[in-house]
Structure formats: structure tokens, C-alpha cells
């Protein structure tokens, strides 16, 4: 099947736009492979420090004969998705020895749970935790002791941060190893119903707590299709997981054998192996475009509209929201997984999952088939699903979906497009997830109710001030203002207003959760209000029109009137919960469309100085 011409055109544009920065990146990783820090180049004192506590592995580490795998782990046992990783390092060390290698934990990274910090002060450091994770990944790999990297991480900012850090060591082969989703619990639709009842005061906190505990109840990733599971999809469609491994449950024999297979495969794709596949060559322009296609085909988290550009930039690749918008026009939505449907990722996996999805997109010419993957045999291997045979993992052809209510082929999609629109107008430029909103609500025109804090929105709702047609504007929520927290706490409240028959929309320079709800939302608006963006000029009562049909977001106010207004004064920066420690990141961050990263902005500034 030939590639869709729009896919080809977008890829060619990304390649052309990235020519200079990609070349600089490839030159960097080539220099690092030839002359950078590595085990053979360490002085005896350096190496002695690094192997002092290695026990029976010391002899192998001293001779540098086999691959030494550096494990970067995001383990903690507060996050359900990461709790299974506690046992992985010991397993990985055994699996490495089976192929004549060794493994060491190179470093740990912080791993925030956005579910825990949602609506709390800690959410204001959530996005910047991605930069911290990238930095801590670089710290771990900086010792030069490793010929391959196993990365253990799943959720929200963790996978993007791991990849951003590891890409600066892109001469090393790298595999991301998932742990899988928890068993299905309370249906997501019922959980959402209870949340709305609580927002209306119709059920108490005990009932809400029961519902939440029935939803999030065991080890593993949350089962709705939010940012965590979108990350897992992304790593597989980029060829950085082993085929079919994203949604295999934790604490199963198959899950363990997939980890073993990943470590064995890592030994083969190292510089000393038979099939060298460094991370920096696997993550190329085609892989990044494949990531965007996967996001759109599955109706994934809008957070990835920030993370994909950031991960790409770490590899010298520049992709923007116009590219996503143009791909969205030709990539059909093929899944219905909550919040875009009633079923969860376990059901998606059971009816064919990633192998069926990838196979159908390849057949339709909507994925690049020639990307360099970590799997032997290339991207066509990702049509296959892993199974146990005689206690060993083998891969079999997956075939088409067995339930078209959850997963379909491009010839019979749920939607003809990918459900993500770029929104532009006199209020700025942002993102709108049309796939989660009923088409009859794509156009909302109503008076604005303008807030600087999400808590003020909830207070206004409780006081009955929002019981009407309204465009709720929450500004000073961008990365420079307060770290760009998710505003998912507002979803049940706004959904109540919508269910009462009102026309409701949200406009914000902040983020929404990966589980973006059914209320129309224009998010990630830039330039943000904190730096004088147009949202700072809005006033209560201004008519605002949000139209996903046309991709326009506008204040229906004369331009001369807007120009005469003084921008609203930003709220004072907040201390507490460590937020003050992140001031240096808020002061240096770039636009969400570029990835909203302080470290990448500083890196690009340094590169510009070097080339001047």
C-alpha cells in the first residue's frame, strides 16, 4: 500500500524544517559513540567505583566484554502503574546474565501521579516534572558505564521525560519496558456519573470515595485512555516497545517473559551486537509522524500535543500543531475507549489492540512502514501479538479486530478524522479535542465568565452564577504563569451545566487531563495571558465564539476596544508544595506548541550561541 499523500507531504515538511537541527543532533550522537565517555575509556579509579558493589557481576563489568544495561527506573509504590517495577531490576539482571551481559540501576527518576495531584497545588509542578525526569535520566546515563538502556516508566510526564533525557545519549540502544494496566474495575461511565452527582451535591463524599476506589483498585496503569495509556500506544507505534507489549497485565508470566525478551533483544542491538540500532536513529522524522498518527487514530490525550514536539526536539526534529491538524484531517479515528467510548484499554487489548491497529493503519498507507524499530524484522513485526508457548514468548499474526464497537479498520472508522483541531483567532492559538465532544456542541457562542483560578470557577458554580449559557475562561494557567496545571477538576462541574441544557465551553491557557471530558474546550491557548496574550484582555460578559467546525476561537469584540484595554494583572506566584523551586523553569519555558520545556529552550539557546 502506498503512503497517503498528506502523510508524505507532512513528513517531507518536517524533514525540511528539521534539516539543520537534525544534522546537528546526528553529528552529536556520532561523536558521542566514537569519542564520548564509555566503559573502555574510564580510568581504573572511575571503573573501580562503578563496580565496587557489583558482586558476581564485577568480573564481567571489569573486562567490558558483554553489554552492561543501564536501568532508568521511575519506580515508586505510590503510583499503581509503577509499583510493579519494584521487582524489575533484579529480574533484568538475571535476564542480562542469560545472554552474557550485566545490568545496573543507572538512576531513578521522580514519578508524579496526576491523578493524585489533580486539582491540588502539586499539579503546578507536574508539567515541569517532565524536565526533571529528563535531567535525572541524563544524570544516570552520564557515568558512561552502559552499552544499552532499559527504561521503566509509563505515566503522564514520565515517558516523555525519559525519552527526552535518553535521546541526548542517542548512540545507545534503548528499549522502554511497560508494566501493563490494572484489571478493569468500576465502569468509567459510572465513575463519571458519580462524580457529577457529587458536584451537584446529590451524593456524599463517602459514595464518591467508594466509586473512585472501585475504579483505581490494584497494581497497574489506570484503565481509561488518558495520557499514561496514550504514552504506551505511542512507544509501540514508534517501535520502542517490543511488539504487542503495551497492554499486557502486570504480574503475569507473559509480562515477565516480555521483559526477558526485551533485555535479550537489547543485547542484540548494541554496538557490539549483530544488529546495532541506537535510539537516536530509531527516533527519526518518520517515527515522530507515526506517533502523531497513532495519537489521532486512537483519540488520545491532548497532553501529547505538547509532549510530541518536546520529544521530537530532543532528537533535533521540529513538528508543530499545523502538522497535527493536517494529519488529523486524513487519519480516521479507529478506537472507542473511555473517555471516547464506554470500554477501557483492557477491552481494547482483548479485541486486537495495538497489533490490529498498527496492521490496519499500515495497510491503509497511514503509517511509515520503514522506521527502524527495536524489534528484529522491522515495523511489520508490530502486526503480531505475543503469546506464551512452552513458557516462552512467541509472536503470532493478530488479524483484524474482533469487536468493531471498540476497534475498527480505516475503511469503517468511528470518525473520518482524528478528532484534534488547531484553534486560532483573536484569542490566540490552541488545541480542541473534537473526538470527545458531540458534534452538535462544536460551536458555542456565549458570554464569557473570566477567572484567574479554577477554585473561583467552582465557587461561582456553587453560588449559582454559572447556571446559564457561558464560556468559562480560566487564564494565567500557562507554563510561565504557574506551570500549566491540568484543569480536570472542572470537568464534572462544567458537565453538570451542560447536562442542564446550557451551552457551555471552556477556554484556557492551561491543560485538561488526558481524560478530557465531553465539554467543548479550547486549551493550551498561546500566547498565554501571563506574557500579555489576548486572554488577559477579556472581560466578563464579552461574547466569545468557540467553533471547532471552522477552527476559530474569537472574542466578538471590536479590535479597537480590545487594543484600548489594559492587560489583567497576573496573580502573584505561589509558595508551598515546592512550587517556588520551579521558578527558574517558569521563567525560561517556551510555548506549548514547541513542547513547553525550559531545558529544551535553554539547550536551543546554547546551540544558537555555538553556531553564531
Amino acid at each position: 500500500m502506498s503512503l497517503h499523500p498528506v502523510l508524505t507531504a507532512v513528513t517531507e515538511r518536517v524533514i525540511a524544517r528539521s534539516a539543520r537541527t537534525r544534522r546537528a543532533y546526528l553529528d552529536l550522537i556520532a561523536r558521542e559513540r566514537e569519542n564520548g565517555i564509555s566503559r573502555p575509556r574510564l580510568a581504573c579509579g572511575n571503573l573501580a567505583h562503578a563496580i565496587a558493589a557489583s558482586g558476581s557481576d564485577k568480573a564481567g563489568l571489569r573486562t567490558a566484554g558483554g553489554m552492561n544495561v543501564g536501568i532508568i527506573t521511575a519506580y515508586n509504590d505510590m503510583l499503581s502503574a509503577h509499583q510493579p517495577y519494584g521487582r524489575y531490576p533484579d529480574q533484568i539482571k538475571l535476564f542480562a546474565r542469560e545472554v552474557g551481559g550485566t545490568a545496573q540501576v543507572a538512576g531513578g527518576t521522580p514519578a508524579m501521579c496526576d491523578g493524585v495531584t489533580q486539582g491540588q497545588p502539586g499539579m503546578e509542578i507536574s508539567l515541569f516534572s517532565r524536565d526533571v525526569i529528563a535531567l535525572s535520566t541524563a544524570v544516570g546515563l552520564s557515568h558512561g558505564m552502559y552499552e544499552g538502556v532499559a527504561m521503566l516508566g509509563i505515566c503522564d510526564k514520565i515517558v516523555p521525560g525519559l525519552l527526552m533525557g535518553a535521546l541526548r545519549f542517542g548512540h545507545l540502544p534503548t528499549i522502554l519496558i511497560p508494566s501493563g494496566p490494572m484489571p478493569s474495575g468500576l465502569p468509567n461511565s459510572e465513575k463519571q456519573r458519580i462524580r457529577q452527582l457529587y458536584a451537584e451535591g446529590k451524593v456524599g463524599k463517602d459514595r464518591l470515595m467508594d466509586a473512585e476506589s472501585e475504579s483505581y483498585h490494584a497494581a497497574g496503569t489506570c484503565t481509561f485512555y488518558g495520557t499514561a495509556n496514550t504514552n504506551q500506544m505511542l512507544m509501540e507505534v514508534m517501535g520502542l516497545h517490543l511488539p504487542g507489549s503495551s497492554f499486557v497485565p502486570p504480574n503475569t508470566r507473559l509480562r515477565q517473559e516480555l521483559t526477558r525478551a526485551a533485555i535479550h533483544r537489547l543485547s542484540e542491538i548494541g554496538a557490539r551486537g549483530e544488529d546495532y540500532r541506537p535510539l537516536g536513529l530509531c527516533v527519526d522524522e518518520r517515527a515522530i509522524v507515526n506517533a502523531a498518527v497513532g495519537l489521532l487514530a486512537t483519540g488520545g490525550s491532548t497532553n501529547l500535543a505538547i509532549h510530541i514536539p518536546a520529544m521530537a526536539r530532543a532528537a533535533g526534529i521540529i513538528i508543530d500543531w499545523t502538522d497535527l491538524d493536517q494529519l488529523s484531517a486524513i487519519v480516521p479515528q479507529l478506537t472507542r475507549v473511555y473517555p471516547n467510548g464506554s470500554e477501557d484499554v483492557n477491552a481494547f487489548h482483548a479485541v486486537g489492540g495495538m497489533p490490529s491497529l498498527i496492521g490496519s493503519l499500515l495497510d491503509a498507507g497511514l503509517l511509515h512502514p520503514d522506521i527502524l524499530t527495536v524489534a528484529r524484522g522491522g515495523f511489520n513485526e508490530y502486526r503480531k501479538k505475543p503469546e506464551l508457548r512452552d513458557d516462552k514468548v512467541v509472536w503470532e499474526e493478530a488479524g483484524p479486530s474482533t469487536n468493531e464497537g471498540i476497534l475498527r479498520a480505516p475503511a469503517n472508522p468511528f470518525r473520518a478524522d482524528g478528532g484534534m483541531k488547531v484553534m486560532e483567532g483573536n484569542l490566540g492559538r490552541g488545541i480542541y479535542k473534537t473526538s470527545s465532544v458531540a458534534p452538535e456542541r462544536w460551536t458555542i457562542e456565549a458570554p464569557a465568565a473570566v477567572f484567574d483560578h479554577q477554585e473561583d470557577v467552582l465557587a461561582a458554580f456553587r453560588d449559582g452564577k454559572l447556571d446559564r449559557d457561558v464560556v468559562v475562561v480560566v487564564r494565567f494557567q500557562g507554563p510561565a504563569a504557574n506551570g500549566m496545571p491540568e484543569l480536570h477538576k472542572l470537568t464534572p462541574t462544567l458537565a453538570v451545566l451542560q447536562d442542564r441544557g446550557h451551552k457551555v465551553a471552556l477556554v484556557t491557557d492551561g491543560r485538561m487531563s488526558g481524560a478530557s471530558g465531553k465539554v467543548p474546550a479550547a486549551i493550551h491557548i498561546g500566547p498565554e495571558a501571563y506574557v500579555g496574550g489576548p486572554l488577559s484582555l477579556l472581560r466578563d460578559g464579552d461574547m466569545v465564539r468557540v467553533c471547532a467546525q471552522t477552527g476559530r476561537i474569537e472574542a466578538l469584540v471590536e479590535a479597537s476596544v480590545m487594543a484600548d484595554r489594559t492587560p489583567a494583572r497576573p496573580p502573584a506566584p505561589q509558595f508551598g508544595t515546592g512550587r517556588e523551586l520551579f521558578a527558574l523553569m517558569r521563567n525560561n519555558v517556551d510555548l506549548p506548541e514547541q513542547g513547553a520545556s525550559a531545558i529544551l529552550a535553554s539547550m536551543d539557546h546554547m546551540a544558537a550561541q555555538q553556531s553564531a
Side-chain angles (χ1 to χ4, degrees):
M1 174 67 70
S2 59
L3 291 179
H4 193 289
V6 172
L7 184 79
T8 299
V10 168
T11 306
E12 290 175 350
R13 188 168 62 246
V14 171
I15 290 171
R17 187 191 299 130
S18 309
R20 180 184 61 81
T21 50
R22 179 65 174 172
R23 173 43 52 198
Y25 174 76
L26 294 176
D27 288 346
L28 168 71
I29 64 173
R31 289 195 306 271
E32 290 292 288
R33 181 186 177 190
E34 294 300 318
N35 302 311
I37 184 172
S38 66
R39 223 172 359 140
R41 297 187 182 98
L42 290 176
C44 292
N46 300 141
L47 186 59
H49 274 84
I51 66 176
S54 297
S56 61
D57 286 333
K58 188 178 290 189
L61 287 165
R62 178 171 174 167
T63 61
M67 172 181 277
N68 187 33
V69 176
I71 304 167
I72 301 291
T73 176
Y75 164 74
N76 69 55
D77 61 10
M78 183 271 293
L79 271 72
S80 62
H82 292 74
Q83 186 268 354
Y85 282 141
R87 295 181 293 276
Y88 275 45
D90 287 342
Q91 294 175 356
I92 288 171
K93 290 176 183 182
L94 291 173
F95 302 153
R97 290 171 192 143
E98 291 172 350
V99 287
T102 53
Q104 293 176 298
V105 175
T109 73
M112 287 186 70
C113 179
D114 285 6
V116 175
T117 58
Q118 196 70 248
Q120 306 301 320
M123 178 53 75
E124 294 186 10
I125 67 174
S126 171
L127 180 57
F128 289 137
S129 76
R130 185 191 61 186
D131 280 10
V132 176
I133 291 163
L135 291 170
S136 57
T137 299
V139 169
L141 297 180
S142 68
H143 297 94
M145 280 292 296
Y146 315 108
E147 291 78 46
V149 184
M151 295 203 291
L152 311 181
I154 288 176
C155 295
D156 297 286
K157 317 308 167 298
I158 300 159
V159 164
L162 288 171
L163 198 56
M164 287 163 61
L167 279 165
R168 306 314 297 176
F169 299 79
H171 60 292
L172 298 175
T174 301
I175 296 180
L176 286 98
I177 302 177
S179 71
M182 69 176 66
S184 301
L186 184 75
N188 287 294
S189 57
E190 177 64 9
K191 174 187 68 179
Q192 190 63 32
R193 187 183 74 86
I194 298 298
R195 284 178 174 177
Q196 287 190 211
L197 289 174
Y198 179 76
E200 293 179 274
K202 295 180 178 178
V203 299
K205 192 169 184 177
D206 284 348
R207 180 67 188 95
L208 177 65
M209 186 64 198
D210 288 344
E212 299 289 354
S213 296
E214 291 167 18
S215 300
Y216 310 116
H217 61 97
T221 317
C222 305
T223 61
F224 64 86
Y225 194 55
T227 308
N229 287 316
T230 303
N231 281 340
Q232 300 312 291
M233 175 280 301
L234 214 71
M235 293 303 99
E236 191 155 338
V237 85
M238 292 174 71
L240 301 178
H241 278 174
L242 288 188
S245 64
S246 295
F247 301 120
V248 173
N251 304 318
T252 61
R253 184 60 185 270
L254 179 56
R255 177 82 276 160
Q256 178 178 297
E257 290 306 310
L258 284 166
T259 302
R260 171 182 269 120
I263 300 305
H264 288 188
R265 179 61 182 153
L266 199 52
S267 72
E268 298 171 350
I269 63 176
R272 299 192 191 104
E274 62 186 52
D275 190 15
Y276 179 51
R277 300 191 182 199
L279 177 65
L281 296 187
C282 290
V283 180
D284 66 1
E285 297 90 341
R286 296 164 301 168
I288 291 295
V289 170
N290 277 7
V293 170
L295 171 66
L296 297 164
T298 58
S301 166
T302 53
N303 280 326
L304 273 297
I306 299 174
H307 297 324
I308 289 175
M311 292 185 286
R313 276 175 71 196
I317 299 166
I318 304 170
I319 188 170
D320 62 26
W321 289 347
T322 298
D323 299 323
L324 292 181
D325 189 74
Q326 292 184 6
L327 289 170
S328 184
I330 59 104
V331 174
Q333 186 182 334
L334 304 181
T335 69
R336 275 203 177 151
V337 183
Y338 187 84
N340 303 328
S342 59
E343 300 295 339
D344 65 12
V345 294
N346 290 317
F348 166 73
H349 181 69
V351 304
M354 291 303 302
S356 295
L357 174 74
I358 288 172
S360 67
L361 287 168
L362 284 169
D363 290 341
L366 291 171
L367 286 174
H368 289 284
D370 52 348
I371 63 171
L372 185 67
T373 73
V374 300
R376 184 187 298 277
F379 200 36
N380 268 316
E381 293 297 304
Y382 288 77
R383 296 173 177 269
K384 298 178 180 178
K385 61 181 179 179
E387 296 180 350
L388 282 178
R389 184 179 301 164
D390 298 327
D391 288 332
K392 293 185 178 180
V393 64
V394 297
W395 278 267
E396 304 285 352
E397 289 291 334
S401 167
T402 59
N403 185 335
E404 291 200 342
I406 301 171
L407 173 62
R408 294 184 180 181
N412 180 35
F414 291 107
R415 292 170 49 95
D417 63 60
M420 192 171 289
K421 292 281 289 188
V422 171
M423 305 292 286
E424 293 186 274
N426 65 4
L427 291 179
R429 178 174 166 93
I431 290 288
Y432 186 120
K433 187 176 177 180
T434 58
S435 60
S436 63
V437 178
E440 62 268 21
R441 297 193 179 106
W442 283 6
T443 300
I444 300 293
E445 185 176 312
V450 184
F451 302 91
D452 296 345
H453 303 279
Q454 60 177 322
E455 292 297 334
D456 293 340
V457 180
L458 301 178
F461 170 78
R462 289 191 296 267
D463 293 342
K465 296 177 180 178
L466 298 179
D467 205 356
R468 55 185 170 86
D469 292 355
V470 63
V471 174
V472 173
V473 178
V474 189
R475 62 190 177 190
F476 301 117
Q477 305 298 310
N482 64 352
M484 206 179 188
E486 290 179 349
L487 304 176
H488 183 51
K489 189 175 183 178
L490 300 179
T491 300
T493 297
L494 298 179
V496 168
L497 296 175
Q498 184 172 269
D499 288 351
R500 289 176 182 173
H502 300 308
K503 296 178 180 178
V504 180
L506 173 69
V507 173
T508 182
D509 47 13
R511 296 183 293 127
M512 288 297 286
S513 167
S516 301
K518 60 187 180 180
V519 176
I523 60 177
H524 307 174
I525 301 297
E528 62 178 283
Y530 187 81
V531 298
L535 292 184
S536 68
L537 302 176
L538 270 182
R539 302 292 184 262
D540 282 330
D542 286 344
M543 291 299 293
V544 172
R545 181 178 174 86
V546 180
C547 181
Q549 297 280 4
T550 61
R552 300 294 295 172
I553 173 173
E554 298 172 304
L556 305 182
V557 179
E558 291 291 337
S560 59
V561 173
M562 292 283 279
D564 285 341
R565 290 178 176 174
T566 300
R569 184 176 180 179
Q574 297 297 301
F575 279 64
T577 323
R579 288 172 288 177
E580 59 276 14
L581 298 176
F582 289 78
L584 80 166
M585 292 188 176
R586 294 194 300 272
N587 293 339
N588 294 283
V589 70
D590 52 22
L591 294 171
E593 188 167 2
Q594 296 173 289
S597 169
I599 60 172
L600 292 180
S602 299
M603 183 184 74
D604 287 351
H605 178 67
M606 182 174 129
Q609 288 180 317
Q610 285 186 337
S611 62

